[in-house]
Amino acid sequence: MKNSFFGLQFHNRQEIFMLVYTSLQAFFVGAFLALFFIGSHVLFFQSWTSSLIPKAFIISGIFGIILFTLYSFLINRTYFRRFAFYSLLFLFIVNGIVFWFYDSILSVSFFGIPVMLPFTLAIPFTFLVMVLFRRSLTTIYAPVQHRKFYPVFRMALMAGIVLASYSLTAVLYFNFDVLLITGGSTIFAGLATIMQIIINRYHKKAGVFPPMARHPMQLRSRFYEMFYSKYTLILLAFVLLSAVTGFILHYHFIATTRINYPNTIGLAKFLSFFMGTTFLFEFAVERFLLRKILYTYDSPYSLVLIPSLLA
């Protein structure tokens, strides 16, 4: 028996409930990403100068390597349902520690080098949350279900980013401590963790979704597979070039923004408004422009036309 919900066809009610739960989690994840990213940048400039940004990026890269080395080691050796919950719980606890003990964390250093939390965790945590969320969706849903529902997840994620960013912009016009931005990200990290518990229990109870393997095989490291063929080497070079370019652009953007907005509240207002507008624009372009180009032209032409039109 099929059911209809917001124009989507469902084979049973369990799919509807799971779609609602995962969409809510996507919304909370989006709000967390927006608030944590903005809050970490504002707190950095409240305590440090722009000249320390390159050093902060290096520390952030080290944190990212450590974090994703642990992720790669554990993901194939643990039950993913449990792994996702504990990972989100870890993010929630770290955010809470940063919020409640920020004055003490500010002075933390390693070999005389300030760690500059939470700014150095902004990029690693962003990637970790997105990887966890995407992996969770592909684990919960069958490929056909995932293709059908993915636009809903993406829209919920963007809605969380946009609404959290614009709401923060409005709140900042009142007497507001910027540290509370990190408090807000802690709340949304906690809500995403709670939703993971609900999703795990419902996935186990519903019985209409692909089962998760309880004893995953311990796979060998896939690091060496990047060097097996010319294609993977070119892809690796492209990823590295994109990462370096992204860091350079991000550095110039936030350094220039700090010069134009020396006041912390003004900086927070600009970053929140900019993030909300950027993702709203991205959603509009993807919704009304990219699909038309992709359906009209072949993929090779689309890869050239899309960046040219956006530029």
Side-chain angles (χ1 to χ4, degrees):
M1 180 178 179
K2 289 189 176 183
N3 297 277
S4 180
F5 183 71
F6 284 100
L8 295 172
Q9 294 296 323
F10 299 88
H11 291 90
N12 46 65
R13 292 184 179 180
Q14 287 88 341
E15 283 188 347
I16 298 177
F17 286 117
M18 184 60 83
L19 178 64
V20 172
Y21 295 150
T22 48
S23 297
L24 274 175
Q25 188 183 42
F27 181 86
F28 295 147
V29 166
F32 161 76
L33 291 175
L35 295 180
F36 185 72
F37 195 80
I38 295 168
S40 61
H41 282 66
V42 173
L43 291 175
F44 174 83
F45 284 115
Q46 190 179 50
S47 306
W48 311 99
T49 62
S50 300
S51 60
L52 288 174
I53 295 176
K55 187 181 294 185
F57 279 167
I58 294 173
I59 298 172
S60 179
I62 294 172
F63 280 152
I65 291 171
I66 295 172
L67 195 63
F68 279 94
T69 300
L70 291 173
Y71 173 87
S72 301
F73 178 80
L74 294 173
I75 190 66
N76 293 318
R77 292 170 172 82
T78 57
Y79 188 32
F80 180 77
R81 190 183 289 166
R82 226 175 268 124
F83 177 78
F85 165 71
Y86 284 119
S87 297
L88 290 173
L89 183 63
F90 167 73
L91 294 176
F92 168 69
I93 292 172
V94 171
N95 270 262
I97 291 173
V98 170
F99 175 65
W100 289 107
F101 305 102
Y102 177 70
D103 292 334
S104 301
I105 290 174
L106 192 62
S107 59
V108 173
S109 61
F110 189 73
F111 289 110
I113 302 174
V115 180
M116 292 175 281
L117 297 173
F119 178 76
T120 49
L121 293 175
I123 295 176
F125 274 14
T126 298
F127 280 102
L128 179 62
V129 170
M130 290 304 300
V131 168
L132 282 172
F133 181 65
R134 290 290 297 271
R135 180 68 178 262
S136 178
L137 293 179
T138 56
T139 306
I140 292 170
Y141 294 99
V144 175
Q145 294 171 316
H146 185 269
R147 284 195 299 270
K148 181 170 63 174
F149 300 146
Y150 180 73
V152 180
F153 306 142
R154 186 164 176 79
M155 184 173 65
L157 182 71
M158 288 193 172
I161 295 174
V162 172
L163 290 178
S165 300
Y166 282 145
S167 299
L168 178 59
T169 305
V171 170
L172 286 168
Y173 280 94
F174 302 93
N175 189 15
F176 191 80
D177 185 358
V178 291
L179 183 59
L180 293 177
I181 302 175
T182 305
S185 69
T186 304
I187 292 173
F188 282 108
L191 290 173
T193 305
I194 293 171
M195 290 308 305
Q196 187 64 46
I197 297 174
I198 296 173
I199 289 169
N200 288 347
R201 289 185 175 276
Y202 192 75
H203 183 273
K204 183 178 180 180
K205 179 182 177 181
V208 296
F209 301 98
M212 298 182 185
R214 287 188 173 275
H215 300 287
M217 296 178 61
Q218 294 188 10
L219 303 177
R220 63 182 175 84
S221 174
R222 296 185 177 181
F223 175 77
Y224 301 103
E225 294 182 9
M226 294 188 294
F227 305 97
Y228 280 175
S229 67
K230 185 178 179 180
Y231 171 76
T232 54
L233 284 174
I234 294 174
L235 186 62
L236 175 62
F238 177 76
V239 171
L240 292 175
L241 181 61
S242 300
V244 172
T245 303
F247 272 105
I248 292 173
L249 291 175
H250 186 57
Y251 165 74
H252 285 290
F253 170 73
I254 59 177
T256 304
T257 301
R258 180 56 174 171
I259 293 172
N260 293 326
Y261 295 92
N263 180 268
T264 305
I265 296 295
L267 177 67
K269 289 178 183 177
F270 171 78
L271 288 177
S272 57
F273 182 78
F274 178 82
M275 178 169 281
T277 304
T278 299
F279 278 90
L280 189 62
F281 174 75
E282 180 183 343
F283 173 76
V285 168
E286 181 182 333
R287 182 71 176 83
F288 301 107
L289 181 62
L290 296 191
R291 290 185 182 181
K292 184 175 179 62
I293 293 175
L294 290 173
Y295 290 147
T296 306
Y297 303 95
D298 292 332
S299 295
Y301 296 103
S302 302
L303 293 175
V304 176
L305 283 172
I306 293 171
S308 301
L309 288 173
L310 291 178

